[in-house]
Amino acid sequence: MPNERLRGAISARGLTTQRCAELIGVDPKTVERWITRDRVPHRAHRVAATDLLGVDETYLWPSVVDDLRVVSAGRAEMVEFYPSRSAVPLELWRSLIHQARESVDVLVYAGLFLPELHDITHLGERARQGCRVRVLLADPNGTGVRRRGEEEGFGIGLAHRVLLSLRYYEPILAIPGVQLRLHDTTLYASVFRVDETMLVNTHVYGSTAAHNPVLHLRRVPGGRVVDHYLTSFERVWAQAKPTTDIDAVIAAFDGR
């Protein structure tokens, strides 16, 4: 049976099988077999294809879920489980920032605890040393933060927490390598990624993030859990609004 999901994902990206093959680094006939014969690519090619198409590999090739090696690698990615964010050792948050070399990615609504816990200027220092820093905060004027605030019982208070976070990050926004964007997305988890390590703070309806469980993950070869959350981050990042003028954001909020 042909893999219509793969065919559709390639078409949705405006690509041909020829161009798709070139970008992935395989023969065009190989991509054709992936489609017409529903062949499952090798792990490296699956990763390249999903990165290119912006689609999770289990959507394109559902059978990989049953691959014992994938299951085993996914379990190996779990370093620790914390029943709540408040149970995560404070030193872990601090050490991750200090150890960052390549990438720091933050996806939250407000995430105010992070700048209150750790001097944000250290993120700027990491950026000056070549580390890419990307921060996604909720748009305080958006519907997403308003809905989440109502669910948590804080109402407009959550938007005010976003504004405070924005002020914390403001001093480092002019540093090359630091980017901040505002999203209006429903988050099912907050994501904190530093190089190969990730902390995923799950969201529970009606409960604040500090009281919800945290997964401490680290990427291992063959695993897909970290990549699964990174794909989610990239999707939110792609549709979020770049922001450098914090005063303008606050003025828009005050003028509602």
Side-chain angles (χ1 to χ4, degrees), residues 70-142:
V70 173
V71 173
S72 177
R75 289 172 178 165
E77 287 184 292
M78 175 71 80
V79 177
E80 185 59 272
F81 170 82
Y82 298 100
S84 67
R85 196 185 69 201
S86 56
V88 179
L90 299 182
E91 186 52 36
L92 176 57
W93 296 104
R94 297 189 179 105
S95 64
L96 286 175
I97 299 299
H98 284 296
Q99 295 169 9
R101 294 292 180 269
E102 298 179 359
S103 301
V104 175
D105 294 324
V106 178
L107 170 59
V108 292
Y109 280 111
L112 187 58
F113 81 98
L114 196 59
E116 289 180 339
L117 169 68
H118 194 92
D119 188 347
I120 288 299
T121 60
H122 289 145
L123 276 179
E125 293 171 5
R126 306 317 303 157
R128 288 192 179 95
Q129 295 178 19
C131 182
R132 182 191 65 185
V133 177
R134 298 186 297 177
V135 179
L136 277 163
L137 299 180
D139 184 345
N141 298 297

Side-chain angles (χ1 to χ4, degrees), residues 132-154:
R132 182 191 65 185
V133 177
R134 298 186 297 177
V135 179
L136 277 163
L137 299 180
D139 184 345
N141 298 297
T143 59
V145 71
R146 182 168 61 251
R147 183 184 304 111
R148 183 60 182 174
E150 293 170 352
E151 293 169 356
E152 291 182 353
F154 284 126

Side-chain angles (χ1 to χ4, degrees), residues 20-234:
C20 183
E22 292 174 0
L23 294 173
I24 295 174
V26 296
D27 189 276
K29 292 182 179 179
T30 298
V31 177
E32 286 289 350
R33 285 193 290 270
W34 294 349
I35 297 173
T36 60
R37 302 182 186 179
D38 198 17
R39 294 280 181 86
V40 178
H42 294 301
R43 167 67 180 170
H45 292 152
R46 292 203 307 271
V47 171
T50 54
D51 286 346
L52 173 63
L53 302 175
V55 180
D56 190 89
E57 68 173 341
T58 57
Y59 171 78
L60 296 177
W61 300 286
S63 63
V64 302
V65 174
D66 299 324
D67 188 323
L68 293 179
R69 289 172 297 179
V70 173
V71 173
S72 177
R75 289 172 178 165
E77 287 184 292
M78 175 71 80
V79 177
E80 185 59 272
F81 170 82
Y82 298 100
S84 67
R85 196 185 69 201
S86 56
V88 179
L90 299 182
E91 186 52 36
L92 176 57
W93 296 104
R94 297 189 179 105
S95 64
L96 286 175
I97 299 299
H98 284 296
Q99 295 169 9
R101 294 292 180 269
E102 298 179 359
S103 301
V104 175
D105 294 324
V106 178
L107 170 59
V108 292
Y109 280 111
L112 187 58
F113 81 98
L114 196 59
E116 289 180 339
L117 169 68
H118 194 92
D119 188 347
I120 288 299
T121 60
H122 289 145
L123 276 179
E125 293 171 5
R126 306 317 303 157
R128 288 192 179 95
Q129 295 178 19
C131 182
R132 182 191 65 185
V133 177
R134 298 186 297 177
V135 179
L136 277 163
L137 299 180
D139 184 345
N141 298 297
T143 59
V145 71
R146 182 168 61 251
R147 183 184 304 111
R148 183 60 182 174
E150 293 170 352
E151 293 169 356
E152 291 182 353
F154 284 126
I156 200 172
L158 182 57
H160 283 292
R161 292 178 66 82
V162 175
L163 297 178
L164 286 174
S165 284
L166 285 170
R167 283 302 190 196
Y168 274 115
Y169 285 103
E170 186 175 22
I172 68 172
L173 295 184
I175 299 174
V178 177
Q179 300 177 70
L180 186 148
R181 295 185 180 184
L182 299 179
H183 69 83
D184 191 15
T185 308
T186 298
L187 296 185
Y188 302 98
S190 296
V191 175
F192 308 86
R193 176 268 188 110
V194 177
D195 297 338
E196 300 300 298
T197 298
M198 178 180 287
L199 295 174
V200 178
N201 189 181
T202 62
H203 289 188
V204 176
Y205 184 87
S207 177
T208 60
H211 297 143
N212 297 336
V214 173
L215 311 179
H216 180 183
L217 308 171
R218 184 170 179 81
R219 180 190 274 122
V220 300
R224 58 174 298 275
V225 180
V226 170
D227 287 340
H228 186 65
Y229 281 108
L230 280 178
T231 297
S232 175
F233 178 94
E234 295 294 348

